[in-house]
Structures are given as C-alpha cells and as structure tokens.
Amino acid sequence: MLDGRNFHRERLILMDPLSDILTLMRPGGYGFRGLAAGGAWALSFPAAEGLRCFAIETGSCWFRFAEEATPLHLQAGDLVLMAARREVFLFSSASVDPVDAIPLLTSVPPGALATLNGGDECRGIGGFFGFEGAALDSLLAAVPPLLHIRTDATKATLRDGIRRLMRELGAPRPGGALLAGHLAQALLVEALRAHLEEGVAQQGWLAALSVPAMSRALGAMHADVARRWTLRDLAGVAGMSRPSFAAHFRRITGDTPIAYLTRWRMLLAADRLRNSSLTLGEVALMVGYDSESAFGAAFKRATGHSPRAYGRRAGHGGSRMPRGGRHHPDRGASGTGSFIERLDAVPRHSGSVWDGEASE
C-alpha cells in the first residue's frame, strides 16, 4: 500500500508538463465580474501579478496596452488573455480620459454586473487569475503578451465556463468556493490549450508542447524527474538524432535539454522545501541527486542560496519544513524574490489584482 508521500509522488508522475507547472504555480486567487457600458467610456486596469482575461458577450470595444498606440478591436465572442504586469485600457472612444476600473468593479460583489454610463451597448466579463507559487515567471515568460482566442469552438467553451463561474460567484451554494476555484483553473487550462492548438506559440516550453517530438521529451523529463537523463535518452524519446534534437530543443525553448531539466528540478525542489515536510535528503532524491551535498551545490548554483538558507529565507528554519505552508515570493523581506528571478530571469513587479479582490 502506498503511504502519503509515495502516493503524492505517484500523482506527480502521472501529470503532464502543463499540469506540473500550473500546479507548481499554486493558483491562489481569482476574481470575475461583469460590465455593461454605454456611450463614450474608457477604463484603465493597473499592472498586477498574475493573468487577466476579458470576454466580450455583446457589442464591441477597444483594447490597448498603456505603452502601445495601436488598439485591438474586440467584438462579441472575442476572448483575450494576457499577463497582468502591464497597465491596459478598455474603451469605446479614444477621446475619453480613462478612469480607474477598480472602484467601479468593486462596487459590485464577485459574479455581479457593474454598469457604466447606465448603458448596455457593450457587455462583457473580466477576470483575474492570481498565483502564489515559484513557477509564475515560467508561465508568464512562455505566454505571449496578448493571447487572442480565435477558434469558435474554444471561445464557446470558455464563455460557457465563465458564465458558470459567474453564477457560482454570484449565488453562492454549499461547496461553491471549491467548485469556483476548480472552474477558474479549468478556464486557464482551456485558454492555454487553445493557444497551443492554434499553432501560434513560437518559443518557450509552452511552444514546445505543440511540437510532438519536443512534447514527448518534456513529458518524459516531467514523468521521471529523478532519472539520470542523457541527451541520447531524450533524443531517443523524441525519435530524433542527438544533434537534431539538441538544436531543435534549444531553438524552441531557448534552453539545452539538460539545462531545462536542471531548472525544473530546482523549481520543484524549491517548492518542496517551502511547502512540504520532506527532509533535505528526501528532496534531493526526489529531484535526482544521490547526496545532499551534490544537491546543495546544484541548488546554490541555480539560486545563489543553499537549500537550508533558502528555507530560512522562505520563513522556515531547519531542514524540515512545515507541510502545506504558503509563501508569496513578492511579500515580506524573505529575499525569495531574487531566487525566483535567478531561476527564470524575468523581472517581477508588484501590483494589485484588477478587481481589487481575489477569492480563495
């Protein structure tokens, strides 16, 4: 019979790379509200950590990043997803000065409809996905600045999911909080799947998932992260020669296969050090290192901190961490943010969620 720790490992082995990374991101908050607007209007949405989405149900409006001049026309049925680290505008007229969307949207509860200018010429739903884990930068670096869902079937699926989520938020019932959280995560997975299926992903691990040979190699690494993988092994899984596989993998992901594997191991190890009761030796074995010293050296090369020092910076002491603890890399003076930046090489910026309220 499997004990809790072995069962947890078995569950990880059965997961695919996208599920692995989304799980490590630890989705921790979401917020969805509707908007009915009329006349000439413009709203600004401040930069924040996470992902933001807009779905237009009726009418049309314009979307623009704050630092860009050319807007995108959004019509009924359109859905866009973007990293929330940039300020954005939604508007019907470019001649109107934008106002902060936060006070308007937080004037109604989650799942409810806010009204602007008393009109109903454009109706849509906006949402925000917040995360608490170490792998956020890995996803944001792989997602284009703006992901515009164009496939009719996928748009219909996402709209149906958003409407159901809005109903759960607007009329809470027993078990609603748990169900709403699962619905929010399902929407995110569906949107990322659509991005892959539309074939527009060009670079990064997410783009690699749309290439069968690269996807097989990534899947093998994630399925058995502790294995002593060689370039020959991974090329065999991909069904390619070693030189061809190495060149294709680096062109698509920006990493060598072994560099990708090492970075994933360190992200996984950091999460386990922070959020589980595993000992340092157990974490080392889980990610493919036979000794604590070899693991510690690799961890310090990747992060600039020893595993124990990282544990202390994450708010825990000693080599055994409390199970289930949560830590946000941008909060407090733990210094963990620099660790994430070293792994992902993506700057982090703080901000608040677009609707000012994240629902657990």
Side-chain angles (χ1 to χ4, degrees), residues 196-226:
L196 293 176
E197 291 167 1
E198 290 179 359
V200 294
Q202 295 182 347
Q203 192 168 38
W205 64 264
L206 190 60
L209 293 180
S210 65
V211 181
M214 301 299 105
S215 182
R216 289 194 298 272
L218 286 173
M221 284 188 272
H222 281 253
D224 193 358
V225 70

Side-chain angles (χ1 to χ4, degrees), residues 335-348:
T336 317
S338 61
F339 157 71
I340 302 302
E341 288 163 8
R342 287 192 62 143
L343 280 178
D344 286 293
V346 177
R348 297 180 66 83

Side-chain angles (χ1 to χ4, degrees), residues 273 280 296-297 299-300 303-313:
L273 289 170
L280 189 60
F299 193 91
K300 188 168 186 177
T303 70
H305 305 296
S306 70
R308 287 189 174 85
Y310 170 72
R312 290 193 294 270
R313 287 170 176 267

Side-chain angles (χ1 to χ4, degrees), residues 141-184:
V143 175
L146 181 68
L147 197 162
H148 189 181
I149 307 299
R150 303 177 187 275
T151 305
D152 289 339
T154 302
K155 289 192 292 187
T157 298
L158 291 171
R159 284 198 304 272
D160 289 344
I162 290 173
R163 289 168 183 158
R164 186 177 181 192
L165 176 58
M166 291 283 284
R167 289 196 299 271
E168 289 294 332
L169 293 175
R173 293 183 293 168
L178 180 63
L179 180 57
H182 286 308
L183 289 172

Side-chain angles (χ1 to χ4, degrees), residues 37-104:
W41 57 274
L43 293 173
S44 66
F45 295 82
E49 285 294 330
L51 293 170
R52 177 182 286 128
C53 74
F54 298 114
I56 307 302
E57 295 191 293
T58 61
S60 65
C61 65
W62 296 88
F63 167 92
R64 180 173 68 82
F65 286 109
E67 67 275 17
E68 295 181 3
T70 305
L72 172 68
H73 193 214
L74 299 178
Q75 304 180 69
D78 279 348
L79 186 144
V80 292
L81 178 76
M82 72 220 72
R85 288 174 169 170
R86 302 162 69 185
E87 182 184 13
V88 300
F89 301 121
L90 280 184
F91 56 94
S92 66
S93 172
S95 63
V96 177
D97 290 333
V99 298
D100 190 348
I102 302 301
L104 171 67

